[in-house]
Amino acid sequence: MQQLNLFEEPTLDLPVTYYPNFLSIEEANELYQHCEQLEWQQNQIKIVGKIMSVPRLECIYGDKGCEYLYSNSVLLKPLPWTEKLAQLRDRIITITGYKFNIVLGNQYRNGQDSMGWHADNEKSMGVAPAIASLSLGSVRKFQLKPIGGKPTDFWLEHGSLLIMHPGCQSTHLHQVPKTKKMVSTRINLTFRPHAGGGR
Ligand SMILES: O=C(O)CCC(=O)C(=O)O
């Protein structure tokens, strides 16, 4: 198994570390196929009083009782871990030392699916959460910027892992912007802690 060295220099002085080849191509392909079968939902979100479709599909798996509310609007109720997702969670916990008890999936069906600037600072994750973000399928641009600062671009590759370290969600924002390029599906799995619940 690949060992991550979390004591190496963080990527570009940002509170993240990027591992482009975290999974082998065979592992990434197999996981992508598994993820295609997950229970994807089209959720609705209320923004300034208007209800709209979230511009991507979402799914959530995790420990019992770990419901996840974001933007004060979308409540996600975790399904029990699949064996493959639980194995991946344990592998990421072992090599990072961070604890995760939910995984939130995002499926970007094409270049119009996206996620705007935000920080993952929901109370349910506790104080200064670490988040591990695994990418599969099409490469998309991921941007990270200090609040009020300039963005740095990452191109998140098939089988890559991006760790957002504790503190990142208080000092930085991130997004996956829309693109006019022809891109096919990208699946992203974000492993997160949850202050409640337990297996
Ligand atoms: O798709 C990604 O790489 C980012 C996902 C994300 O920002 C989130 O789930 O909060």
Side-chain angles (χ1 to χ4, degrees):
M1 188 199 290
Q2 185 193 354
Q3 293 294 313
L4 300 188
N5 178 6
L6 293 181
F7 298 102
E8 73 188 26
E9 286 294 301
T11 306
L12 299 169
D13 271 344
L14 291 164
V16 297
T17 312
Y18 179 59
Y19 299 93
N21 302 308
F22 175 67
L23 297 181
S24 68
I25 189 82
E26 293 78 18
E27 287 173 324
N29 292 345
E30 196 187 311
L31 183 63
Y32 183 91
Q33 281 174 13
H34 177 69
C35 289
E36 281 184 306
Q37 308 308 318
L38 297 176
E39 300 230 0
W40 295 99
Q41 308 164 16
Q42 174 64 74
N43 291 316
Q44 305 293 308
I45 187 166
K46 197 171 180 182
I47 301 177
V48 284
K50 244 178 99 183
I51 302 221
M52 50 189 82
S53 291
V54 171
R56 59 193 174 274
L57 301 180
E58 295 172 312
C59 68
I60 185 166
Y61 290 77
D63 297 357
K64 212 165 171 222
C66 291
E67 293 192 347
Y68 187 80
L69 176 74
Y70 74 86
S71 300
N72 256 329
S73 171
V74 184
L75 179 65
L76 303 172
K77 296 187 179 180
L79 293 168
W81 291 99
T82 67
E83 204 178 312
K84 271 200 192 328
L85 290 179
Q87 280 167 1
L88 185 62
R89 172 203 64 204
D90 290 345
R91 182 169 166 186
I92 297 175
I93 288 175
T94 303
I95 57 185
T96 62
Y98 295 134
K99 189 173 172 231
F100 302 112
N101 36 18
I102 52 172
V103 59
L104 177 51
N106 295 299
Q107 185 183 143
Y108 303 86
R109 294 156 290 188
N110 53 47
Q112 288 310 293
D113 275 359
S114 63
M115 192 174 307
W117 286 113
H118 69 285
D120 294 316
N121 50 12
E122 283 72 25
K123 280 206 183 89
S124 62
M125 287 193 288
V127 180
I131 295 177
S133 171
L134 193 129
S135 292
L136 299 165
S138 277
V139 174
R140 289 287 295 265
K141 181 160 77 177
F142 171 93
Q143 295 182 297
L144 181 76
K145 65 174 182 185
I147 294 168
K150 288 209 172 81
T152 300
D153 297 348
F154 292 84
W155 296 91
L156 299 184
E157 292 168 61
H158 184 50
S160 68
L161 185 71
L162 180 83
I163 311 282
M164 292 189 262
H165 294 289
C168 181
Q169 307 304 326
S170 320
T171 54
H172 288 69
L173 302 175
H174 58 276
Q175 73 161 352
V176 177
K178 291 186 196 307
T179 174
K180 291 206 171 86
K181 286 189 198 138
M182 287 290 290
V183 285
S184 55
T185 305
R186 167 173 181 262
I187 290 175
N188 168 255
L189 300 174
T190 51
F191 290 83
R192 300 159 188 255
H194 194 291
R199 253 158 249 158

